Amino acid sequence: MAKIRGPSTPAELCPEKLKVIVDGLFPKHDVTTWPITPYGEEGGASAEGRQVSNEELLAIAKGLKAKKAPGPDGIPNVALKAAIHAFPDMFRTVLQKCLDEGHFPDRWKIQKLVLLPKPGKPPEDPVSYRPICLLDTLGKLLEKIILNRLTKCTESELGLSEMQFGFRKGKSTVDAIRTVMESVEKASKQKRRGNRFCAVITIDVKNAFNSASWETIAEALHRMRVPDYLCRILRSYFQNRILVYETARGQRSIRVTAGVPQGSILGPTLWNGMYNGVLTLKLPRGVKIVGIADDIVLTVTGETLQEVEMLATEAIDTIENWMRGAKLQLTTKRRCYWSVTVKRCSRLKSPLEDRPLPRSAC
């Protein structure tokens, strides 16, 4: 793709412009205290479950991709992989100590920003860039060890909703589309009575991953009964995070107070844990919610157009209230273009009709 894309867009290096872009992409949240695990060590993982083995470490090392860009420490993956194979006990001892003491080293929390410009977007607008954070691979090793244990909780009975199709093994966007289409097809088969009208509404979150509330993430982990030792190291994971970026006048840095790093190992699962709150909301009868990472699709079925509009308005208000509590914002532009697709009864001789959702529902 790099060869056929043509010349790359010059990197923005003006300190003033970059500050506006970075401040727009990484919102500041009030610093809050990570809540104490309410159940303490109750139901915690067994000592055996906490142990890091050489086999686990070597399996993680095997998955390191040689051509991945290194983090701020400049150590390439190929060198790190060779070192792990030569001295696995040394690496295992350090990582085990971090896990046992609930400490994620500050050196591994420095994230180097790379801005990928979106085609056709104004260069001065923060939303015109996709931010990627380069992290030290040593830190990613510890992240992967945490993730191996955290996944057992997120995929348990108390874990993630079945309606989340993003960042999960065995689920895909195709599965999400199939789930949405089931509601649409069911409505289309109704004749004179029943829920024969169906609205499909898409909802997008503004700057989602960089805006995730750490406090909301902690509360979500507690609801899933994540063991205390994992909660403690995740609390350390979010403390003292620093983002660095290059300018024409040297390197600049800011303190990060929200979000999950895009480019991290833990980020997607931590996001899913937090976002699980919106996917498990009690919505009106006839409303189904489907999540694909940070995107939401609602299917709203009813016997009349008026009922669909009423249910859609109530569901959107409920979702927006939750978003506000989680310090997330909906993308206003997307909200203004929600649409309802209606499958009319065959006797009306009108197969498909697009109607705009009333502004009251926006």
Side-chain angles (χ1 to χ4, degrees):
M1 290 300 296
K3 293 179 180 179
I4 65 174
R5 192 182 293 124
S8 61
T9 305
E12 180 62 71
L13 293 175
C14 174
E16 291 76 18
K17 292 181 179 179
L18 275 174
K19 186 178 187 307
V20 173
I21 293 170
V22 171
D23 288 345
L25 288 173
F26 296 89
K28 297 292 184 183
H29 287 192
D30 294 334
V31 179
T32 57
T33 303
W34 183 279
I36 297 174
T37 310
Y39 42 84
E41 292 288 349
E42 287 182 27
S46 64
E48 183 180 351
R50 300 188 190 191
Q51 294 301 311
V52 181
S53 65
N54 283 357
E55 290 74 19
E56 180 183 13
L57 182 59
L58 291 172
I60 295 172
K62 185 178 180 180
L64 296 178
K65 297 182 179 179
K67 294 185 179 181
K68 282 282 186 179
D73 62 7
I75 300 175
N77 284 356
V78 63
L80 184 60
K81 183 182 291 190
I84 292 172
H85 278 280
F87 306 101
D89 289 330
M90 180 181 69
F91 286 92
R92 178 184 53 77
T93 301
V94 172
L95 296 172
Q96 184 71 65
K97 191 74 170 177
C98 291
L99 196 63
D100 291 341
E101 296 186 358
H103 176 67
F104 202 101
D106 288 350
R107 182 64 185 82
W108 296 345
K109 290 183 275 190
I110 299 173
Q111 46 198 71
K112 184 178 180 181
L113 178 64
V114 175
L115 294 173
L116 303 180
K118 298 177 183 178
K121 301 287 186 178
E124 69 281 357
D125 192 342
V127 300
S128 301
Y129 298 88
R130 186 179 303 279
I132 300 296
C133 296
L134 300 182
L135 300 161
D136 290 346
T137 304
L138 279 167
K140 288 186 177 182
L141 291 178
L142 182 52
E143 285 192 51
K144 182 63 175 177
I145 286 171
I146 297 170
L147 180 63
N148 286 345
R149 289 146 183 80
L150 181 61
T151 303
K152 295 177 182 178
C153 302
T154 59
E155 297 299 331
S156 68
E157 291 183 4
L158 297 176
L160 300 177
S161 165
E162 289 300 314
M163 291 296 104
Q164 175 58 275
F165 292 87
F167 306 133
R168 299 178 73 182
K169 288 184 178 180
K171 290 181 178 289
S172 67
T173 305
V174 174
D175 297 322
I177 294 172
R178 186 180 294 114
T179 301
V180 172
M181 290 306 299
E182 285 174 358
S183 297
V184 176
E185 291 170 356
K186 185 176 180 180
S188 70
K189 293 177 182 178
Q190 297 292 336
K191 299 301 180 182
R192 297 175 182 270
R193 295 181 181 179
N195 294 335
R196 59 197 181 99
F197 295 97
C198 180
V200 178
I201 305 168
T202 62
I203 300 177
D204 189 41
V205 180
K206 180 180 179 181
N207 194 23
F209 297 103
N210 294 325
S211 303
S213 164
W214 295 347
E215 187 176 6
T216 307
I217 291 174
E219 292 169 352
L221 296 178
H222 293 161
R223 283 192 295 271
M224 294 181 188
R225 302 285 294 187
V226 172
D228 182 56
Y229 82 96
L230 286 179
C231 291
R232 282 190 281 111
I233 195 169
L234 287 171
R235 175 178 59 193
S236 175
Y237 176 78
F238 283 119
Q239 290 175 340
N240 305 323
R241 296 205 73 89
I242 300 296
L243 178 125
V244 298
Y245 59 97
E246 300 294 336
T247 76
R249 299 175 194 164
Q251 190 178 86
R252 302 290 171 87
S253 65
I254 65 167
R255 185 179 179 185
V256 180
T257 57
V260 292
Q262 296 188 55
S264 65
I265 300 294
L266 277 172
T269 299
L270 292 173
W271 167 266
N272 274 356
M274 183 213 66
Y275 215 48
N276 202 53
V278 73
L279 297 177
T280 54
L281 285 172
K282 188 176 181 180
L283 298 177
R285 180 182 57 83
V287 179
K288 181 184 288 187
I289 185 169
V290 175
I292 308 103
D294 61 316
D295 292 315
I296 291 175
V297 179
L298 294 179
T299 57
V300 187
T301 56
E303 294 187 4
T304 65
L305 279 175
Q306 291 74 23
E307 183 183 7
V308 169
E309 292 169 1
M310 180 188 67
L311 294 175
T313 301
E314 183 180 345
I316 292 165
D317 286 344
T318 301
I319 290 170
E320 191 164 26
N321 287 335
W322 184 91
M323 293 285 183
R324 195 178 298 113
K327 300 180 182 179
L328 297 173
Q329 296 180 1
L330 301 185
T331 304
T332 305
K333 186 180 293 186
R334 287 283 296 274
R335 291 174 60 215
C336 291
Y337 289 94
W338 287 331
S339 63
V340 54
T341 303
V342 180
K343 173 70 176 179
R344 287 191 175 279
C345 182
S346 58
R347 65 184 175 86
L348 297 178
K349 298 181 180 179
S350 179
L352 269 181
E353 179 181 4
D354 289 332
R355 289 171 176 258
L357 202 62
R359 293 195 66 83
S360 61
C362 295

